[in-house]
Amino acid sequence: MSAKRPSTPASEPSGRLAALECLLLWEGRITNTRIREVLEVTSVHASRLLSEYRETYPRVIERVVPGEYAGTRRLKPELTQGHISEYLELIASVDTETAGLERMPLRLSSPDPALFREIHLALREGRGLIALHRTLANPEGHRRMLFPHALAEVGGQWWTRAYAPADACFDTLSLQALSAPRRAQAQSPKTADADADWQQQVPLRLTAHQDLSYEQAVMIAHQHFGQAAGQRLSVRGPLVSAAVKALRAATDPGRQQPPDYLLQVNNVDEIRRWLEKESSPAGVYPSGGIYTAP
């Protein structure tokens, strides 16, 4: 196993060039405006950084329109590790100097930057892409035309919500199940507004599991809900089943018992149709990072 390169703070000169690489890897485009937003530098400084990057790595960047640059097929992680956590930290302006903060995301893999950026570009531009989609039922996979309108993350796994014209429906797909993306110029026949299920907010009411002792229930409620006895979340319809699974909340408390299940859903009848509709869900926990097309 090769050693990983240490990350460099974006405030340092080499770190700022790494930030440009990071934006190219995950967003597919960089502009002076985007550099100023992320690095909080002046327009002149952003132009200098961009020029320096272009001169240092001329084969991995190309101009697509005046003032906008894209990564070429030669683009690969050189200054970064190519892990999505770097991108998330960059755009979230995380204070990397905070002492005593330990993160252990337990991610087995990171999304492929090429796939992520193609989906990212497709949803921003309102066009389609063709990707190989594998499932347990069809492990060899088949190519699907998709028109993404959202990217979402939970627990280190990423998903896209997209219109699939061959099936005449919207679908939620794991990025782990997609590969070999190919850009399509066709514009999406459906927008996010047409995704009625995605637009519907469904209440999810959580409490401590009914079979815990009083003392245990108080402890669990304190750990998960603060001073409250329970919590109500608002979840997009297609994400309800996955939200429940991510929370390990029992929907059948007689069968799903502690200690494997410490929470339970108290409005199962209200959400049952979503649990049944998403019997093989590919959604996300609602507080995960959700990026939708502007």
Side-chain angles (χ1 to χ4, degrees):
M1 179 178 294
S2 59
K4 290 184 177 180
R5 292 182 295 274
S7 59
T8 305
S11 58
E12 297 182 11
S14 59
R16 291 187 169 181
L17 290 185
L20 268 59
E21 177 185 278
C22 195
L23 290 175
L24 281 173
L25 278 172
W26 298 102
E27 293 189 355
R29 298 281 196 276
I30 53 173
T31 63
N32 184 290
T33 299
R34 185 59 169 153
I35 295 170
R36 297 200 314 267
E37 290 173 351
V38 174
L39 297 182
E40 298 181 341
V41 297
T42 65
S43 178
V44 172
H45 195 170
S47 294
R48 288 174 180 169
L49 286 171
L50 186 53
S51 296
E52 182 181 354
Y53 187 87
R54 292 175 60 200
E55 291 172 3
T56 309
Y57 304 97
R59 300 205 300 171
V60 303
I61 187 172
E62 62 184 1
R63 190 176 77 165
V64 287
V65 295
E68 185 171 340
Y69 296 83
T72 69
R73 293 186 178 182
R74 296 178 182 272
L75 177 64
K76 63 180 181 179
E78 294 286 347
L79 301 173
T80 66
Q81 298 177 34
H83 198 286
I84 197 168
S85 62
E86 296 168 304
Y87 170 66
L88 296 178
E89 289 176 0
L90 177 65
I91 63 173
S93 300
V94 173
D95 181 7
T96 57
E97 296 179 358
T98 299
L101 178 62
E102 179 72 21
R103 294 182 63 207
M104 191 175 179
L106 297 177
R107 293 168 180 157
L108 297 179
S109 64
S110 173
D112 175 19
L115 173 65
F116 191 98
R117 68 173 173 263
E118 288 302 326
I119 295 174
H120 190 277
L121 289 169
L123 69 87
R124 291 186 64 185
E125 296 171 0
R127 58 166 175 76
L129 62 85
I130 301 169
L132 182 66
H133 182 215
R134 294 185 174 95
T135 64
L136 286 176
N138 182 14
E140 293 185 357
H142 67 286
R143 299 197 70 82
R144 296 182 70 181
M145 169 72 85
L146 301 170
F147 293 93
H149 70 71
L151 277 164
E153 181 267 341
V154 59
Q157 294 191 12
W158 282 86
W159 315 84
T160 184
R161 181 73 174 173
Y163 181 70
D167 303 309
C169 69
F170 288 93
D171 200 358
T172 315
L173 305 101
S174 166
L175 264 62
Q176 292 179 325
L178 299 174
S179 61
R182 189 170 72 238
R183 202 169 297 186
Q185 296 306 317
Q187 293 295 300
S188 177
K190 301 282 187 179
T191 66
D193 292 338
D195 190 351
D197 285 353
W198 183 257
Q199 302 303 328
Q200 187 161 345
Q201 296 290 334
V202 178
L204 186 61
R205 306 181 193 279
L206 303 167
T207 62
H209 196 286
Q210 65 185 27
D211 289 340
L212 292 171
S213 69
Y214 172 78
E215 292 79 11
Q216 290 172 331
V218 170
M219 179 191 74
I220 294 302
H222 178 75
Q223 290 177 351
H224 291 274
F225 314 131
Q227 301 300 317
Q231 188 168 347
R232 179 189 184 277
L233 301 177
S234 184
V235 188
R236 292 185 185 273
L239 313 182
V240 168
S241 182
V244 170
K245 290 187 177 183
L247 289 164
R248 291 197 62 79
T251 55
D252 183 358
R255 181 176 60 86
Q256 298 168 318
Q257 287 282 300
D260 293 331
Y261 293 85
L262 299 176
L263 304 178
Q264 77 176 50
V265 179
N266 272 3
N267 61 329
V268 174
D269 289 341
E270 189 175 3
I271 69 170
R272 190 177 303 281
R273 79 179 187 94
W274 295 105
L275 296 174
E276 294 171 350
K277 190 170 187 177
E278 299 291 322
S279 58
S280 299
V284 300
Y285 173 54
S287 67
I290 297 179
Y291 180 90
T292 55

